[in-house]
Amino acid sequence: MKTMKLTMITSALLAHSVAFANVTAITNATIHTATDTGVLEGATLVIENGKIKAINPDNVTADVTIDASGKVVTPGFIGSMNQLGLVEVGAVAASRDAGDDDAGVDFDASTAFNPRSSLIAYARKGGVTQNFVAPWGGKSEFAGLGFVVDLSGEFNSVTDKQTALIIHLGAKSKGSRAKALDNVVKKLEAQQEKLAKKDKKDEGKPSSEEQVLTQVLAGDMPVIATLSRASDILEAIKLKEKFGLDLIIQGADDAVVVAEQLAEAKVPVILSAVSNLPASFDSMHASLDNAGKLEKAGVNVILSIGGDGSHNVYQLRFDAGIAVANGMSHEGALKALTANPAKALGIDGGVIEAGKRADIVMWSADPFEFSTTIDKIWINGEEVSTESRHDKLRDRYTTDSDMPRAYTK
């Protein structure tokens, strides 16, 4: 029995290995690399073992060849700062796992991630192949640790845990922003002192919170500060300079006011391209042309969905189109969905380059055009479906049947 089980397992592994080792060639494509190489016309892209093996090789030997004449090929888009997989229905408390009253520095919600969320298949339809999931935390200004997932729907799709520490600064509905900032400073100073005084003879295992703060102080873990007011952004830059933080600003409706300082400090900014109304006294400079202005100032811009990003990450490409219509370059908008979040968060992917993770999307035309559709999409080198619950509901209620609707699928 044991021998039979081992044989079955070996056969399954070999079958998977053979399937995964298939070489796919995409030929005659217009490839937007999201690198300094720019756009390649009539190009060939070779995928093998989950990686981009070659671009325009001299010879191509492939198991599957796809003619992409007239098509546009881009890296898969990367969503960020949403609760995809942690929230199914926002109005149903039992389907929300992104927050907890006791959440703090070491709150890691990745174990609650649901790769079979119906929202994930829907996000794939928008060309999104990876996502940075951000918990919203609890009572503390420390919201916890964001993590990276791919949108394959597989149970092993959490690709990186404890990717970045998220801190809520700026406006507060109760209390003062000054107290929140002071709490952050004191927490970092306390850990600095602890590390400086560490007695080698008494090296007890550091707590999970201490381990996170040590990575933050070493610059090994990005810190994402959510805030919008220009003066708060400058205070956050001071934090970066004082503690050597790898800082990212999210929200940042006032970022254009201090664009020069952000560019000089090399601080990436995550924002919504369609944030154009002052939702609070902190966002008086919200405007459709902010993304373009920040790009021109030399800021590394990352586009994300404002509001309910978990349900609407599918719309990233439309937001990028609006950014282009309001002054952002087309190449800059593509990088804001691909290369820029990959670079800021240390994600493998986001570019079409030999040796990189093969998250690839083949579009019928310019992905930022409303009428464009996805022809094919690959995640980690494997083609995945773009069918979502929306398609199944459409088919269910538009297919003739003698059965009552409740008994048909």
Side-chain angles (χ1 to χ4, degrees), residues 187-204:
K187 183 77 78 173
L188 293 172
E189 285 179 339
Q191 183 62 17
Q192 267 187 336
E193 291 173 7
K194 189 171 293 185
L195 291 171
K197 295 177 180 177
K198 197 171 185 61
D199 185 349
K200 297 293 183 184
K201 295 180 181 178
D202 185 24
E203 288 187 349

Side-chain angles (χ1 to χ4, degrees), residues 88 118-119 121-122 125 387-394:
E88 190 66 28
S118 64
L119 307 182
Y122 185 57
K125 295 174 73 67
E387 184 181 54
S388 73
R389 182 175 61 181
H390 302 67
D391 301 305
K392 293 177 180 176
L393 287 170
R394 176 203 60 202

Side-chain angles (χ1 to χ4, degrees), residues 368-401:
F368 299 160
E369 291 290 340
F370 192 81
S371 59
T372 296
T373 57
I374 290 179
D375 282 3
K376 290 182 179 295
I377 181 169
W378 292 263
I379 294 179
N380 200 25
E382 295 198 67
E383 187 175 352
V384 295
S385 169
T386 58
E387 184 181 54
S388 73
R389 182 175 61 181
H390 302 67
D391 301 305
K392 293 177 180 176
L393 287 170
R394 176 203 60 202
D395 295 342
R396 176 175 179 175
Y397 291 106
T398 58
T399 302
D400 291 334
S401 172

